[in-house]
Amino acid sequence: MSSDANVKLNFNISSESFIGHRMEVLPSLDIELTKTEALDMYFQMQMVRRLEMAADAAYKAKMIRGFCHLCTGQEAIPVGVEFGLSKKDSVITSYRCHGFTYVRGVTPTKILAELMGRRDGCSKGKGGSMHMFGPNFYGGNGIVGAQVPLGAGIAFTHKYLNDGACNVALYGDGAANQGQVFEAFNIAKLWDLPVIFVCENNKYGMGTSANRAAMNTDYYTRGDVIPGIKVNGMDILAVREAIKFSKEFTTSGKGPIVLEMSTYRYGGHSMSDPGTTYRTRDEIQHMRSTSDPITGYKTRLLETNLVNEDELKALEKESKKLIDAATAEAKASPEPEVSELFTEVYANTDGIPSLRGRSSSEIHYY
């Protein structure tokens, strides 16, 4: 890193980036970052995108099976959320979770190995794309919307322990219509839990647009008496500032807050969805060319005149190198032993016959 690593970079967020519901004060529009912080945010977004590109290629090569949901186009959210939190805060999200798993501290090798069902995966190859876990990261959950009440429960733990931390519970616009989401809102407000409910509104659920599935698509107002903010989820600076603001809000005894991150996914809902039957290719290309979170942030960095093109290219090359190496390591990892089939299923294994050392022909499946 150059000697000017600690120089301050100043950014202005558009006033349209935040729209409030029952909010007297909104997040600041002025941000100051050190050059180190600013470049790290760029690097982490590059890492998340490269990670998803590697997952895409591995799936198409049939090295990844089953469900696989990518966040390509939404990189500003996992990275921005992480930069607005501390490590003692907790995060829980849906099955579009690879980026969050990485920023919470799980290595790309462990993520890709998990996707490929390999022993070195973060869930020992037994969870796959939808079930990833890490430090203060509770998944990766396969049931639509089920992570939201779990997030409220984790927030209750933070309040009970009085540890000054909050939980970020993320869900998609499709999951926003689940009844358990509103039940979680209700109990969280009754008990003033330190939880940030975040709806990642990428405009489309599985095969349909949000406005065909919901009467009210202003998801930040869905908490009723719970305050909310609509955030430009394609701007990493807006995401970071909204999360920092919301952490302070929720941990100061004011109870929960609902954020709507307005974002866009370039691919389909999952790898089995081409994503072009309910939207046009022109729309996708338009979003790529006008609202890409990485390209937009890169432009803003260069406009400061304190970051140059060579520095950013070096970070881009480094991210590619790291992900290429992680992909090779994941491919080299062996599959789990058959004896792992029932491990980590029961909390108390007394009386359950051990499978270790037994061949697959000796194991009976019920």
Side-chain angles (χ1 to χ4, degrees):
M1 185 63 68
S2 62
S3 58
D4 62 348
N6 292 320
V7 68
K8 301 293 186 181
L9 277 63
N10 295 294
F11 300 94
N12 298 115
I13 301 174
S14 168
S15 60
E16 298 177 354
S17 296
F18 304 124
I19 302 174
H21 165 70
R22 292 180 177 265
M23 295 293 301
E24 296 181 0
V25 179
L26 291 173
S28 174
L29 299 177
D30 299 312
I31 291 183
E32 183 180 80
L33 298 172
T34 66
K35 185 174 179 178
T36 299
E37 291 172 327
L39 290 179
D40 194 21
M41 290 167 68
Y42 182 76
F43 176 71
Q44 298 301 338
M45 278 203 291
Q46 285 285 351
M47 286 291 289
V48 173
R49 179 159 296 184
R50 292 280 182 187
L51 179 65
E52 295 293 58
M53 290 169 62
D56 181 272
Y59 191 96
K60 290 172 180 175
K62 298 185 178 181
M63 299 191 71
I64 296 174
R65 304 294 182 124
F67 295 102
C68 185
H69 303 79
L70 306 181
C71 72
T72 311
Q74 301 182 203
E75 296 86 356
I77 298 179
V79 180
V81 166
E82 184 64 24
F83 273 81
L85 298 175
S86 71
K87 291 301 182 183
K88 69 179 182 179
D89 297 308
S90 58
V91 175
I92 188 168
T93 188
S94 69
Y95 39 72
R96 202 178 303 279
C97 63
H98 310 155
F100 288 100
T101 310
Y102 166 69
V103 298
R104 283 270 89 183
V106 179
T107 67
T109 297
K110 286 185 174 293
I111 293 171
L112 290 168
E114 187 60 40
L115 288 169
M116 297 177 191
R118 304 303 175 90
R119 190 170 65 194
D120 292 329
C122 56
S123 294
K124 299 184 180 179
K126 300 185 290 183
S129 177
M130 300 175 109
H131 304 96
M132 294 186 173
F133 305 90
N136 271 336
F137 177 64
Y138 296 85
N141 291 267
I143 300 174
V144 177
Q147 71 277 9
V148 181
L150 292 177
I154 299 167
F156 176 82
T157 301
H158 288 310
K159 182 168 183 174
Y160 184 83
L161 296 176
N162 194 28
D163 60 9
C166 69
N167 174 263
V168 180
L170 299 107
Y171 55 99
D173 51 275
N177 300 316
Q178 292 287 315
Q180 58 195 326
V181 172
F182 296 94
E183 293 178 47
F185 286 176
N186 184 61
I187 200 70
K189 185 55 186 172
L190 278 173
W191 293 348
D192 278 338
L193 301 180
V195 56
I196 307 171
F197 295 112
V198 180
C199 176
E200 294 183 271
N201 178 13
N202 58 27
K203 313 298 187 293
Y204 297 95
M206 178 60 193
T208 190
S209 61
N211 58 18
R212 292 186 64 193
M215 179 188 69
N216 176 14
T217 56
D218 289 329
Y219 298 101
Y220 67 107
T221 69
R222 292 279 197 97
D224 192 8
V225 299
I226 300 176
I229 307 173
K230 184 174 182 178
V231 182
N232 178 4
M234 302 300 270
D235 181 353
I236 188 171
L237 298 175
V239 174
R240 173 186 176 271
E241 200 62 25
I243 292 295
K244 285 184 65 178
F245 175 91
S246 299
K247 173 181 165 62
E248 172 63 26
F249 183 96
T250 59
T251 57
S252 62
K254 297 177 182 176
I257 191 169
V258 178
L259 303 183
E260 175 188 343
M261 299 286 184
S262 181
T263 187
Y264 196 84
R265 55 172 167 79
Y266 297 151
H269 175 74
S270 67
M271 292 299 293
S272 62
D273 170 26
T276 55
T277 57
Y278 48 86
R279 58 181 180 174
T280 66
R281 295 184 186 275
D282 287 343
E283 176 186 310
I284 300 170
Q285 184 54 43
H286 175 74
M287 291 299 294
R288 277 185 178 272
S289 60
T290 62
S291 302
D292 185 80
I294 298 177
T295 303
Y297 185 53
K298 179 178 182 177
T299 299
R300 295 172 80 171
L301 287 173
L302 294 173
E303 286 174 348
T304 66
N305 294 319
L306 296 170
V307 175
N308 61 56
E309 189 80 42
D310 289 341
E311 290 175 296
L312 299 181
K313 284 184 178 179
L315 295 177
E316 293 163 14
K317 289 180 180 179
E318 180 66 12
S319 66
K320 183 180 186 304
K321 176 183 175 181
L322 290 172
I323 295 300
D324 286 348
T327 302
E329 291 169 2
K331 288 179 180 178
S333 176
E335 293 184 353
E337 298 290 339
V338 175
S339 59
E340 287 286 340
L341 189 60
F342 294 125
T343 59
E344 285 94 35
V345 174
Y346 300 100
N348 183 354
T349 57
D350 292 345
I352 299 174
S354 173
L355 299 178
R356 297 191 182 279
R358 301 171 67 182
S359 68
S360 58
S361 63
E362 296 178 285
I363 298 174
H364 300 280
Y365 301 90
Y366 297 96

